[in-house]
Amino acid sequence: MSGDLKWNKIFGAGLGTAFVILVVQQVSGAVYKTHEPEKMGYFVNAPEEAAGGAEEAVLPPDWGTVLPAADLAAGEAAFARCKACHTVNQGGADGIGPNLFGVVGGPVMHRAGFAYSDAMKAHKAEVPTWGYDELDHFITAPARYIAGTKMSFAGLRDTPTRINLIAYLRSQGSGGFAIPASDPTRQPGAAPAEGDAAAAEAPAEGAAAADATAPGAAPADPATTQAAPAAPPAATSPAPANH
Ligand code: HEC
């Protein structure tokens, strides 16, 4: 009798152990599964949701000030994010995306042989040139700036990284594209739109936000009133305005 009980206990313990092992396998399987998509995901798409839209509320970069100070080596490093689809060397081949040599200041769709999307064609009809602001908008969030673009890249939300990257792209065949004069209305302290996140979030409001920059900035700093006609915002505002 007692012998039977003993074996029951041992057998029961064995079953219990087997059960625990099964449970552990299931749980670790579940844990493993939740990690799978992360491994399969395209790293270039990672930053989008994480960064949110908060940075959009800040002023556009003052190219005349930031470009001469940009870090070309850091920009080249940032270009690693683009290399899956783009070359940038002179005479480089088109890949999933067009070769980018000379794209800064060049025409939109600057590679004759590349099959651009209809969205890019429509964009070119409205905004024919890749100026600094246009490139900056596009690289920040390609599909938001040009809805329907076939550049499937989530975007670079970090402004210093984009500045370095654009400076690097300029160094690849676009050195002749002038750097604009420093624009005081874009410098910190002239910023009126700090809390204007709502306006910046909607692409269609981009122009309104840009326009708001100039009048808001002028009273804030009387010394800049001469620059108040705000040629740069006026020149660039037609682009977002039609989107
Ligand atoms: C997943 C592939 C892919 C990645 C990654 C990518 N691009 Fe693109 N890019 C494209 C495609 C495709 C187009 C053409 C878009 C269209 O026709 O709508 C394009 C177009 C462009 C254009 C316009 C070129 C022209 O001739 O008008 C620029 C500028 C550009 N990309 C810059 C970049 C930069 C800078 C990066 C890295 C931060 C990058 N791209 C990352 C695929 C990519």
Side-chain angles (χ1 to χ4, degrees), residues 42 44-45 78-86 95-100 103-104 106-111 114-121 123 130 135 138-139 142 146 148-156 162 165-166 169:
Y42 222 16
V44 292
N45 287 337
F79 188 71
R81 313 285 288 274
C82 325
K83 274 183 176 167
C85 306
H86 291 289
I96 295 170
N99 169 267
L100 293 178
V103 75
V104 181
V108 172
M109 296 174 54
H110 78 302
R111 292 283 288 184
F114 187 83
Y116 291 93
S117 64
D118 290 343
M120 191 64 83
K121 286 173 198 158
H123 175 74
W130 282 123
L135 271 175
F138 185 54
I139 296 170
I146 302 179
T149 179
K150 67 179 190 178
M151 172 156 144
S152 40
F153 176 73
L156 284 179
R162 282 197 317 278
L165 176 56
I166 288 170
L169 289 176

Side-chain angles (χ1 to χ4, degrees), residues 112-182:
F114 187 83
Y116 291 93
S117 64
D118 290 343
M120 191 64 83
K121 286 173 198 158
H123 175 74
K124 181 184 174 76
E126 292 172 15
V127 187
T129 306
W130 282 123
Y132 297 112
D133 283 337
E134 290 76 15
L135 271 175
D136 191 46
H137 287 138
F138 185 54
I139 296 170
T140 302
R144 194 165 62 184
Y145 183 57
I146 302 179
T149 179
K150 67 179 190 178
M151 172 156 144
S152 40
F153 176 73
L156 284 179
R157 298 304 172 89
D158 183 63
T159 301
T161 301
R162 282 197 317 278
I163 289 168
N164 291 334
L165 176 56
I166 288 170
Y168 170 69
L169 289 176
R170 180 176 178 274
S171 77
Q172 303 299 303
S174 299
F177 186 57
I179 295 175
S182 294

